[in-house]
Amino acid sequence: MWPFRAPGSIRLRLTLQLLTGAAVMALVLFLIVYSFARQIGAESQDRILSASATSILDATTVQSGNISVDIPYSAFTMLDNSVDDRVFYRITQDGDGLTGYDDLPSARQDQGTGPAFDTVTYRGEELRIATLTRRVSVGGTPTRIDVTVGQTRDAQADVLARILRMTVLLGFGFFAASALLAILAGRSTAASLSRLAESVSRRGPQDLRPVVAEVPSEMRPLVTSLNSLIARLSAALTRTEDFIAEAAHRVRTPLATVRAHGENTLRRVSKEENRVSLREMIRAIDESSRAAGQLLDHAMVSLRADQLELSPVALRPLVADLVDRLRPVAELKDMDLRFEVSEEQEVMGDTILIQNAVRNLLDNAIKYAPPETPIDVSLTREGAGATLTIRDQGIGFPATGADALTGRFARGENATGVIGSGLGLTIADEVARAHGGTLTIANIEGGPGACVRLSLPLR
Amino acid sequence: MRAFISSLALILSALPGLAFEIEEHVQFPAANQTDELRVISTADADLFTPFITAFQALNPGVAVDYYVVSSSEIMVALQDEGERFDLAISSAMDLQIKLANDGLALPYRSGATGSLPEWARWRDRVFAFTQEPATMVLSRADFADIDLPRTRQELITALRDHPDRFRGRIGTYDVRESGLGYLFATQDGRTSETYWRLAQVMGGLQTQLYRGSSDMIEDVASGRIAVAYNVLGSYAQVREDLHDRIHIIAPEDFTTVMMRTVLIPANAETPEAAGRFIDHLIETAWTEGGGRFAFPGITPARLSENASLRPIQLGPGLLVYLDRLKRRQFIEEWEAAMVQPG
Ligand SMILES: Nc1ncnc2c1ncn2[C@@H]1O[C@H](COP(=O)(O)OP(=O)(O)OP(=O)(O)O)[C@@H](O)[C@H]1O
Ligand SMILES: [Mg+2]
């Protein structure tokens, strides 16, 4: 029914509705004024015609048995107007023409004596005519005198045209004013909505305070539900972070305790088959512990990556620190972990995330390259990015589906017997993406070993 | 130029096919004729020639055929006979209004007609281009020893006081014959009762009845009559040769002012050239005050200065006295006063 249901914009819809209303009002105004003016114009012409006919009838007398008509000068001058309308008249006695225009029709259709009006076409023009009747007695015989006065309607048409112009102007003015108001109304309604939207989207990722923007009362429920949503979200986020930290602690600690007991027991058990069982148990514990750790790390990384908070991160001390921390692990396998000290590279990012990514990459190199091989870590600048390259001299990534290894829980065939959960590269890749950087995994061309590159955009 | 103009006094029979009475026919040929204007007019050719030659100077290709007739003959020619004319110029304002009212005139609009005030045009069909007062022309000889009458009342007194001097020596229009005379008389009668008293006195003195102003003026000058009442002042003014023998007096009680009007008849064949002629008439009359020509142009200031001037209003009121019954009554009344058995 309503034609403007479709548009998706409140402002457009509101404006169109108001404009349609204004147009209808303007049209109604126009029609009322115009028809009123038309009616008044017709009535005033009728009144003058009837007055003219009356004055002629008043000057009609019976003189010595004859009808005498002495048309007063004013009978026609009163019909004079600005556009000089044509005037016709006819006086009849019992229907026979006494004087005037003999072919002028009469407006009288009945037997009455009150003024009768009609609109006729006479001599090619539209004529308004009035006929008045009087009965007189001529020598004892009743006689009927009809006086018809007619006038063209140019003046009326002229006045009507002027009124038409004026009402059209009035209608347009009215419409224009309403249109302006409609547009302003549409704009101000839309403005309060977009103010709210802006105040919400302007916020930082950590900003979960309730919205306090001034809004019209109609929008208050929206703000209230928005605020309650924010409150629930913020509570949920806090709970999740707490949960991850709590879970890591709760899982790792008992596993570490069990593992320590296992090791102790292993030292005291001498029966070979018991020792084998115990070693498998310890290994399963290691797998579980690793899996739990990586899962929680991954959850934490996903969470932080979703609402990334950027701050300047100096890569050189960060990498150097991690290399130092992992060196003891590498030395267990007699591996030489070398960090080629280069110039400082500063990026914008989340320190914890970058640490996590780098640690996983270093961990992989140590895990998958054979003992007594060196691992080279370098930090370089490439274009608008800083690139951390980690090269080992192991067997490298399996030839098939290297890219698939960034998928969750994806492990290569070379990983058999190596403790791991398949989330390391996933974490590193997610971190790279969150910072607008890339993770490239490939094998060193022409030589044995894997080459993993983490590129992050510079500050 | 003058050499080409042939002035012919013609009677009806000389122009077969024209069923109306022509008083004078003058042709104004053009060297390279593009248009021909047939003009039917009540104005004497002599008086009107300057207008036409001035027009032809500006519009060299237009030949003008000028017919002088009485005002009622214009009605015969245009209304009854449906003759083809491109312009009708008349002093009988009522008849011009009737032509326009009855749809026998073409509308014309131009810059010139637009500049006319409301009262000088009717329906964009009838345009006024002169203002000519109805005056009394008196013979200087006969009024040498009498105070010059300035009003109708004073004229009545003069006539009453010297009946022998004026008996048979008063002239006025025969309203039965002259449209302009009828117009003047009806306006006089409408304006003041004095007119009827004057008519009574004039009738008692065996007033001579005329069909035109020129004859009356000449007869006053020649001494045949002593008083001419309701004479076109414009005609008297141009006869400077007679001014030493006549007084021209605009009655101070009220002076009826006629406006000479022009219209384009409905069956005009060159309405475009006719329109240009109307523009020319209006411009001459309004901008130059008609000074160069015999007819006094329109000077609206003069009307406001002189309160006794009563211009006849262009409008449907003029149709009243054209009514059959009204006219019959008026003429009966007029005859009763003016035509008394001697
Ligand atoms: N430096 C490398 N040399 C050879 N293969 C590698 C290297 N790094 C990773 N890979 C291969 O990619 C697979 C996926 O590595 P990823 O780090 O995602 O999982 P993981 O090391 O098996 O487990 P996690 O790191 O979660 O404990 C590994 O299983 C391994 O097959
Ligand atoms: Mg790994």
Side-chain angles (χ1 to χ4, degrees):
Chain A
M1 183 187 86
W2 185 252
F4 305 117
R5 202 188 293 280
S9 150
I10 289 183
R11 174 169 151 194
L12 190 64
R13 187 158 47 177
L14 188 66
T15 309
L16 284 179
Q17 282 174 357
L18 288 174
L19 280 183
T20 313
V24 170
M25 293 282 287
L27 194 71
V28 167
L29 182 79
F30 167 79
L31 288 177
I32 287 176
V33 172
Y34 189 67
S35 67
F36 193 56
R38 199 189 169 87
Q39 196 184 330
I40 287 182
E43 278 173 7
S44 71
Q45 187 176 30
D46 284 358
R47 255 199 309 279
I48 296 177
L49 285 173
S50 141
S52 170
T54 306
S55 74
I56 294 175
L57 213 47
D58 286 347
T60 305
T61 50
V62 183
Q63 280 175 5
S64 54
N66 276 320
I67 298 287
S68 148
V69 185
D70 187 15
I71 302 175
Y73 207 66
S74 61
F76 291 167
T77 50
M78 75 169 78
L79 294 169
D80 201 359
N81 57 32
S82 61
V83 300
D84 304 324
D85 266 308
R86 295 164 70 177
V87 171
F88 301 98
Y89 69 100
R90 183 183 184 209
I91 303 167
T92 59
Q93 176 179 6
D94 290 330
D96 300 326
L98 267 181
T99 185
Y101 294 77
D102 287 333
D103 52 348
L104 185 70
S106 162
R108 183 159 300 291
Q109 313 293 343
D110 51 32
Q111 286 301 307
T113 50
F117 300 98
D118 200 0
T119 306
V120 297
T121 303
Y122 179 68
R123 300 197 182 199
E125 269 202 82
E126 194 176 275
L127 212 64
R128 185 71 180 167
I129 54 174
T131 301
L132 258 71
T133 303
R134 179 170 294 173
R135 289 173 208 288
V136 294
S137 159
V138 181
T141 20
T143 297
R144 175 186 154 147
I145 307 291
D146 283 303
V147 174
T148 302
V149 179
Q151 191 181 28
T152 50
R153 319 185 77 179
D154 296 352
Q156 216 192 312
D158 189 59
V159 168
L160 221 55
R162 282 216 304 277
I163 290 176
L164 180 71
R165 270 199 299 279
M166 208 195 66
T167 34
V168 164
L169 275 180
L170 190 76
F172 265 111
F174 181 81
F175 180 73
S178 322
L180 196 72
L181 289 177
I183 289 168
L184 289 180
R187 187 173 291 173
S188 83
T189 308
S192 50
L193 274 173
S194 61
R195 257 203 312 279
L196 176 65
E198 213 176 285
S199 83
V200 172
S201 64
R202 227 186 4 235
R203 303 168 153 235
Q206 300 306 86
D207 187 355
L208 291 176
R209 286 171 300 153
V211 174
V212 289
E214 277 297 323
V215 292
S217 58
E218 289 82 356
M219 280 165 59
R220 239 166 254 153
L222 172 66
V223 172
T224 310
S225 40
L226 186 66
N227 280 341
S228 92
L229 177 69
I230 289 174
R232 273 179 283 141
L233 176 66
S234 133
L237 281 177
T238 320
R239 264 204 309 278
T240 311
E241 267 178 273
D242 291 353
F243 170 77
I244 290 168
E246 180 82 8
H249 182 66
R250 297 252 174 171
V251 172
R252 278 199 187 119
T253 317
L255 280 178
T257 315
V258 173
R259 197 182 191 277
H261 282 300
E263 295 255 321
N264 277 339
T265 314
L266 185 62
R267 239 174 276 144
R268 277 183 267 122
V269 170
S270 51
K271 207 172 173 187
E272 191 53 28
E273 54 185 276
N274 288 347
R275 288 178 70 89
V276 170
S277 302
L278 270 175
R279 270 197 209 96
E280 265 170 23
M281 193 181 83
I282 289 169
R283 191 186 156 78
I285 290 169
D286 285 345
E287 291 268 9
S288 304
S289 172
R290 175 69 181 172
Q294 287 291 81
L295 270 171
L296 291 169
D297 274 1
H298 182 235
M300 190 267 295
V301 164
S302 296
L303 203 66
R304 290 184 81 98
D306 271 352
Q307 8 180 332
L308 193 65
E309 258 190 300
L310 298 176
S311 57
V313 179
L315 284 183
R316 197 171 62 169
L318 184 146
V319 176
D321 182 50
L322 284 170
V323 165
D324 286 347
R325 276 205 251 164
L326 286 173
R327 186 162 286 123
V329 186
E331 279 168 359
L332 285 180
K333 284 179 78 178
D334 291 326
M335 301 176 89
D336 190 2
L337 192 53
R338 298 189 294 221
F339 182 33
E340 197 179 300
V341 181
S342 55
E343 64 197 74
E344 178 60 285
Q345 305 292 344
E346 206 175 49
V347 296
M348 291 302 288
D350 183 330
T351 313
I352 293 177
L353 293 187
I354 298 173
Q355 277 177 340
N356 237 297
V358 175
R359 189 175 337 105
N360 268 293
L361 298 178
L362 289 174
D363 180 68
N364 279 354
I366 297 167
K367 262 199 312 201
Y368 297 110
E372 292 169 41
T373 53
I375 297 169
D376 290 296
V377 180
S378 67
L379 188 59
T380 52
R381 179 189 188 136
E382 279 174 24
T387 302
L388 177 74
T389 312
I390 299 166
R391 287 193 184 83
D392 61 45
Q393 291 182 10
I395 54 159
F397 290 101
T400 49
D403 287 338
L405 294 175
T406 52
R408 292 191 329 152
F409 308 113
R411 306 202 70 200
E413 58 227 25
N414 60 336
T416 339
V418 181
I419 291 180
S421 57
L423 282 171
L425 289 179
T426 314
I427 290 170
D429 190 49
E430 257 174 49
V431 171
R433 275 177 213 272
H435 287 79
T438 53
L439 177 74
T440 339
I441 54 176
N443 289 325
I444 298 172
E445 267 181 54
C451 173
V452 181
R453 296 153 66 86
L454 174 69
S455 296
L456 298 173
L458 278 173
R459 185 183 173 176
Chain B
M1 181 79 187
R2 266 278 177 188
F4 292 104
I5 299 169
S6 54
S7 181
L8 317 158
L10 292 171
I11 54 160
L12 176 65
S13 56
L15 269 185
L18 294 186
F20 57 98
E21 205 173 318
I22 295 165
E23 290 170 6
E24 205 181 354
H25 176 205
V26 189
Q27 284 174 313
F28 299 84
N32 297 310
Q33 181 179 328
T34 54
D35 287 307
E36 189 201 31
L37 270 183
R38 276 165 61 90
V39 182
I40 187 164
S41 168
T42 59
D44 289 358
D46 286 354
L47 300 178
F48 214 75
T49 298
F51 276 115
I52 296 172
T53 48
F55 173 74
Q56 283 184 320
L58 298 170
N59 301 271
V62 184
V64 178
D65 231 359
Y66 190 79
Y67 292 84
V68 180
V69 298
S70 75
S71 53
S72 42
E73 288 305 307
I74 291 186
M75 293 304 280
V76 174
L78 297 180
Q79 184 179 264
D80 305 340
E81 306 295 332
E83 285 293 338
R84 180 231 136 181
F85 280 101
D86 303 305
L87 279 172
I89 296 167
S90 175
S91 50
M93 296 163 71
D94 47 359
L95 296 176
Q96 297 280 83
I97 291 289
K98 184 163 170 59
L99 282 174
N101 189 65
D102 294 1
L104 296 172
L106 294 180
Y108 174 66
R109 287 180 199 87
S110 71
T113 66
S115 70
L116 288 179
E118 261 292 296
W119 50 263
R121 58 190 150 108
W122 197 73
R123 268 187 86 73
D124 290 321
R125 283 163 174 80
V126 181
F127 307 101
F129 67 98
T130 68
Q131 280 178 326
E132 303 176 44
T135 58
M136 313 191 280
V137 173
L138 310 175
S139 109
R140 282 180 188 269
D142 288 293
F143 282 87
D145 53 345
I146 311 176
D147 282 348
L148 265 187
R150 296 278 165 200
T151 63
R152 285 175 183 75
Q153 191 53 54
E154 286 173 20
L155 181 63
I156 291 171
T157 312
L159 298 182
R160 280 214 181 111
D161 290 353
H162 306 276
D164 297 331
R165 183 181 303 186
F166 294 116
R167 191 176 311 282
R169 298 189 64 229
I170 307 168
T172 193
Y173 271 112
D174 185 342
V175 302
R176 297 163 298 191
E177 299 284 335
S178 160
L180 176 61
Y182 183 71
L183 177 65
F184 278 158
T186 51
Q187 292 294 323
D188 277 2
R190 192 172 80 81
T191 310
S192 166
E193 273 301 310
T194 319
Y195 171 74
W196 290 113
R197 276 190 285 123
L198 177 62
Q200 282 290 346
V201 174
M202 284 166 72
L205 294 171
Q206 281 86 51
T207 289
Q208 310 282 316
L209 298 177
Y210 289 78
R211 293 179 66 170
S213 282
S214 307
D215 294 346
M216 277 189 267
I217 295 161
E218 271 170 20
D219 282 0
V220 173
S222 71
R224 234 175 61 76
I225 55 174
V227 175
Y229 177 74
N230 269 353
V231 176
L232 270 182
S234 50
Y235 280 39
Q237 286 295 348
V238 288
R239 293 299 301 269
E240 282 172 9
D241 53 325
L242 306 178
H243 281 188
D244 56 337
R245 277 171 281 164
I246 59 173
H247 291 292
I248 307 165
I249 289 168
E252 283 167 13
D253 47 347
F254 66 92
T255 306
T256 309
V257 178
M258 171 273 284
M259 293 189 286
R260 206 173 283 269
T261 56
V262 58
L263 59 79
I264 306 176
N267 51 6
E269 275 175 17
T270 57
E272 190 268 334
R276 271 185 282 145
F277 195 88
I278 289 177
D279 288 350
H280 167 71
L281 282 181
I282 291 173
E283 274 153 21
T284 311
W286 287 78
T287 59
E288 303 172 21
R292 279 201 279 152
F293 304 110
F295 298 106
I298 297 190
T299 43
R302 210 172 59 192
L303 293 181
S304 48
E305 272 165 23
N306 191 339
S308 63
L309 294 183
R310 293 285 161 81
I312 302 173
Q313 303 293 322
L314 278 178
L318 290 175
L319 299 177
V320 169
Y321 283 101
L322 297 180
D323 177 70
R324 279 201 292 275
L325 297 181
K326 185 95 175 172
R327 182 179 164 91
R328 195 165 68 209
Q329 271 166 30
F330 183 87
I331 286 182
E332 273 170 12
E333 215 171 327
W334 179 87
E335 279 175 337
M338 200 64 91
V339 192
Q340 297 173 15

